[in-house]
Amino acid sequence: MNEEIRKDILCVLDKSIKALNQKKDSSLSKLSDECITCATIYGDKDFINISVILYALGKLSLRSQIKTIPGWELFRKKVIKELKDAAKLLRSKDVEKYRKTISLLYKDVAKVDNKVQLYIQEVIENAKLKKGCKIYEQGVSIQQSSNAADIDLWELQDYIGKTKIHEHEEFKTNVLNRLKFARSLFTK
């Protein structure tokens, strides 16, 4: 792992731990978006994994009925501990153990409780789709975006087709110039 990437991920982990400790769940989504920006810049899968976890945690934390489930606070503390462990491993530059810890955290988020397991799986899948779309939105090809976000290409294409990303495309030439050019192609 590149030293700059390692430092940026550590910064995100520290901010995430702080947000979870202070119960500032809304900031998890912002951190998730920061990770996607970094993933696009660096082309790094570690940022995407953290992004999906933070997005899922943010979505779960904002659901009022989730907080009433017995064991939620215990789960929250476990997540904080696992994030601290991941940060400690990354500080000591043990990237392989860091990735294993993040993988375990990912699985823990996916199995919070039997009652909400399906909801969490849906949140994680939606998080992957949204993060894949964000990567695509920043100019990365759809194939690379689907690979980076670890989602099916067809699912991502379907999702992007339902968004308005392409409607916001800026044209560098105005319509009249484009029409003149098109006509010139047929008059020769």
Side-chain angles (χ1 to χ4, degrees), residues 24-41:
K24 293 185 177 178
D25 303 324
S26 61
S27 59
L28 293 175
S29 285
K30 280 189 239 172
L31 285 170
S32 175
D33 288 343
E34 283 179 30
C35 287
I36 286 301
T37 302
C38 291
T40 304
I41 293 168

Side-chain angles (χ1 to χ4, degrees), residues 103-158:
S103 178
L104 289 172
L105 178 58
Y106 195 88
K107 289 175 185 170
D108 286 346
V109 170
K111 63 177 184 180
V112 170
D113 188 293
N114 289 335
K115 294 176 186 175
V116 293
Q117 190 168 3
L118 291 175
Y119 172 72
I120 292 167
Q121 288 293 52
E122 184 180 326
V123 167
I124 288 173
E125 290 304 312
N126 284 340
K128 286 180 179 182
L129 277 171
K130 286 184 185 222
K131 297 310 159 188
C133 185
K134 286 262 189 200
I135 293 168
Y136 175 74
E137 205 172 71
Q138 293 185 19
V140 177
S141 77
I142 197 163
Q143 178 72 49
Q144 289 175 321
S145 299
S146 74
N147 288 342
D150 195 28
I151 52 176
D152 182 64
L153 175 64
W154 296 105
E155 284 181 63
L156 183 58
Q157 285 177 328
D158 184 52

Side-chain angles (χ1 to χ4, degrees), residues 10-28:
L10 273 170
C11 183
V12 169
L13 289 173
D14 291 340
K15 287 178 183 177
S16 302
I17 293 164
K18 184 178 178 181
L20 285 166
N21 276 327
Q22 295 175 349
K23 297 188 179 183
K24 293 185 177 178
D25 303 324
S26 61
S27 59
L28 293 175

Side-chain angles (χ1 to χ4, degrees), residues 68-121:
T68 62
I69 292 173
W72 172 254
E73 203 50 44
L74 185 65
F75 169 75
R76 186 184 190 85
K77 288 177 183 176
K78 183 179 180 185
V79 166
I80 293 169
K81 183 195 176 307
E82 288 177 349
L83 287 171
K84 285 180 179 177
D85 290 346
K88 183 179 176 184
L89 289 166
L90 209 52
R91 278 189 179 83
S92 66
K93 299 183 181 182
D94 193 343
V95 177
E96 289 309 310
K97 284 185 181 176
Y98 159 78
R99 287 181 176 145
K100 286 179 184 174
T101 302
I102 291 301
S103 178
L104 289 172
L105 178 58
Y106 195 88
K107 289 175 185 170
D108 286 346
V109 170
K111 63 177 184 180
V112 170
D113 188 293
N114 289 335
K115 294 176 186 175
V116 293
Q117 190 168 3
L118 291 175
Y119 172 72
I120 292 167
Q121 288 293 52

